[in-house]
Amino acid sequence: MEKKSKYEKLVLKEKSAWLLMKEDEKKGLEKLSREYLDFLNQCKTERECVSYFYEAAVKKGFTEVKDFLSSGSVKPGRKIVSTNRNKNIILTVVGKRPMEEGLNIICAHMDSPRLDLKQNPLYEDTNLVFLKTHYYGGIKKFHWLNIPLAIHGRIVKINGETIDLKLGEKEEDPVFLIPDLLPHLSKKLSEKTVTDAFQAENLNLVMGHIPVDEDEKEAVKINILKMLNEQYGFDEKDFNSAELEIVPSLKAREAGFDRSFIAGYGQDDRISSFLAFQALMNTEQPDRTSVVLLIDKEEVGSEGNSSIQSKFFELFISDLLEKTGKEYSEKVLKKTLYNSYAISADVDSAFDPNYKDVFDIRNTSKIGYGLVLVKYTGHGGKYGASDANAEYMARIRKLLTDHQVIFQFGSIGKIDEGGGGTISKFLASYGMEIVDAGTPVLGMHSPYELTSKADLHEALKAFTVFFSKM
Ligand code: MN
Ligand code: MN
């Protein structure tokens, strides 16, 4: 054992959560990990997340906002849910205090980097048929070569009929691949920069090579279209009104000899979405109204009507306020949001000892050291950052300390190495107090990311006390 210094109290000392967690907590963590693995395997797109959370919430007694508006009133403990265009979901448990005094909000995003199908994706070249893709979010293109991929998404026909696809997940399903060039012929390619060597327009999924018959032009393509029509009932034109997402067909599972990790696709930011949701499910009669806001399009800069910038969120809060009995006004809405506390729940890049150069070890989160608080994001001289106020940081530190949550501090990496943003700045524009917090991730934005079971556990604790005690 290390000898204790009499000055110990003066010094910030971080320790592995595995050393600090209590024995019974370690047992609870295994159950939580299994639920999380199951969630990751069921939900790989924002639409799938919305359906999953919506159904689970209704089972837990949440009322759809439309039904609530016609019958209910805002009483403490009331649970209300609403969705936006099948890509956002907002859930709330009404608190004892007037809503005007502020809400406790946790927001997270459900979209993850992936490949989307182009609107006119199908083509035949020589003897093969492909689907053209357009990458979504920050990816390293070579990660997506020669791994099993699945097609998830929705086709809407002009008669309004919707066809939901999830192909490449079941044992008996085919998977899809983007073949890479063999090393034997990669001499010139390997002399190029990574950006030049891997071109977005080459990320084409191979679909088949059986011709329909001898005389037909584009006979392989016709054969694929014939099969799509027979099995799913759509034709080539219907790709024009479809949202089909290509995601890794990899099952989430435990990783590491000590089984301390969870490996899975899209943990940025489905880990926070899952935990924020679970935390709210643990919340019964909070003091302040608790809100979980799960959104889309974070990975592409938070634009569009399913992003955090969609006014759907304001509309929902207005609906609730109208039911408080007081006369509703825009000012009341603004005041409510201004007085709110928020956590922008998102993952952080964990320190990776193999790439020491890009991290500032004193200011980078470590996997397995608990929830990470990120005071500010952005890049360069804090450009584009939402910078949490010292006063709010202190309150969050106190909340976590008082409730024995294991936490640490982080930032994405060395100052001029790059950077990134989250949705916090959009909520911050309402004037509310907000900080970024989440779990560290190794291999972030890769098709198979790593998180720690211990961090999963501590983040849930943090989000739960944020709702019940903040
Ligand atoms: Mn994220
Ligand atoms: Mn991300």
Side-chain angles (χ1 to χ4, degrees), residues 109 268-269 298-299 346:
H109 65 96
D268 172 11
D269 189 28
E298 191 274 346
E299 294 293 358
D346 208 340

PDB file of all heavy atoms in Angstrom, residues 109 268-269 298-299 346, ligand 1:
ATOM      1  N   HIS A 109     -27.798  12.130 -28.206  1.00  0.00           N
ATOM      2  CA  HIS A 109     -28.188  11.883 -29.596  1.00  0.00           C
ATOM      3  C   HIS A 109     -28.192  10.390 -29.915  1.00  0.00           C
ATOM      4  O   HIS A 109     -27.443   9.610 -29.315  1.00  0.00           O
ATOM      5  CB  HIS A 109     -27.313  12.667 -30.575  1.00  0.00           C
ATOM      6  CG  HIS A 109     -25.866  12.269 -30.609  1.00  0.00           C
ATOM      7  ND1 HIS A 109     -25.362  11.389 -31.534  1.00  0.00           N
ATOM      8  CD2 HIS A 109     -24.813  12.647 -29.847  1.00  0.00           C
ATOM      9  CE1 HIS A 109     -24.055  11.254 -31.351  1.00  0.00           C
ATOM     10  NE2 HIS A 109     -23.698  12.001 -30.329  1.00  0.00           N
ATOM     11  N   ASP A 268     -21.409   5.873 -29.335  1.00  0.00           N
ATOM     12  CA  ASP A 268     -21.544   7.335 -29.453  1.00  0.00           C
ATOM     13  C   ASP A 268     -22.800   7.572 -30.282  1.00  0.00           C
ATOM     14  O   ASP A 268     -22.759   7.430 -31.501  1.00  0.00           O
ATOM     15  CB  ASP A 268     -20.297   7.922 -30.120  1.00  0.00           C
ATOM     16  CG  ASP A 268     -20.444   9.398 -30.448  1.00  0.00           C
ATOM     17  OD1 ASP A 268     -21.413  10.004 -29.982  1.00  0.00           O
ATOM     18  OD2 ASP A 268     -19.590   9.929 -31.186  1.00  0.00           O
ATOM     19  N   ASP A 269     -23.926   7.916 -29.752  1.00  0.00           N
ATOM     20  CA  ASP A 269     -24.097   8.287 -28.376  1.00  0.00           C
ATOM     21  C   ASP A 269     -25.255   7.483 -27.783  1.00  0.00           C
ATOM     22  O   ASP A 269     -25.980   7.957 -26.941  1.00  0.00           O
ATOM     23  CB  ASP A 269     -24.364   9.801 -28.326  1.00  0.00           C
ATOM     24  CG  ASP A 269     -24.355  10.356 -26.911  1.00  0.00           C
ATOM     25  OD1 ASP A 269     -23.682   9.816 -26.046  1.00  0.00           O
ATOM     26  OD2 ASP A 269     -25.080  11.320 -26.677  1.00  0.00           O
ATOM     27  N   GLU A 298     -26.954  14.855 -34.785  1.00  0.00           N
ATOM     28  CA  GLU A 298     -25.830  15.492 -34.098  1.00  0.00           C
ATOM     29  C   GLU A 298     -24.546  15.270 -34.879  1.00  0.00           C
ATOM     30  O   GLU A 298     -23.695  16.160 -34.975  1.00  0.00           O
ATOM     31  CB  GLU A 298     -25.685  14.928 -32.674  1.00  0.00           C
ATOM     32  CG  GLU A 298     -24.721  15.716 -31.788  1.00  0.00           C
ATOM     33  CD  GLU A 298     -23.255  15.313 -31.907  1.00  0.00           C
ATOM     34  OE1 GLU A 298     -22.946  14.246 -32.481  1.00  0.00           O
ATOM     35  OE2 GLU A 298     -22.385  16.068 -31.432  1.00  0.00           O
ATOM     36  N   GLU A 299     -24.412  14.091 -35.443  1.00  0.00           N
ATOM     37  CA  GLU A 299     -23.154  13.734 -36.115  1.00  0.00           C
ATOM     38  C   GLU A 299     -22.928  14.516 -37.406  1.00  0.00           C
ATOM     39  O   GLU A 299     -21.847  14.451 -37.979  1.00  0.00           O
ATOM     40  CB  GLU A 299     -23.103  12.221 -36.395  1.00  0.00           C
ATOM     41  CG  GLU A 299     -23.048  11.357 -35.137  1.00  0.00           C
ATOM     42  CD  GLU A 299     -21.763  11.509 -34.337  1.00  0.00           C
ATOM     43  OE1 GLU A 299     -20.875  12.263 -34.763  1.00  0.00           O
ATOM     44  OE2 GLU A 299     -21.660  10.879 -33.267  1.00  0.00           O
ATOM     45  N   ASP A 346     -22.923  13.068 -23.639  1.00  0.00           N
ATOM     46  CA  ASP A 346     -22.261  12.564 -24.849  1.00  0.00           C
ATOM     47  C   ASP A 346     -20.944  11.920 -24.430  1.00  0.00           C
ATOM     48  O   ASP A 346     -20.403  12.208 -23.369  1.00  0.00           O
ATOM     49  CB  ASP A 346     -22.042  13.703 -25.852  1.00  0.00           C
ATOM     50  CG  ASP A 346     -22.018  13.205 -27.301  1.00  0.00           C
ATOM     51  OD1 ASP A 346     -21.793  11.993 -27.505  1.00  0.00           O
ATOM     52  OD2 ASP A 346     -22.215  14.022 -28.210  1.00  0.00           O
TER      53      ASP A 346
HETATM   54 MN    MN B   1     -21.577  12.102 -29.681  1.00  0.00          MN
END
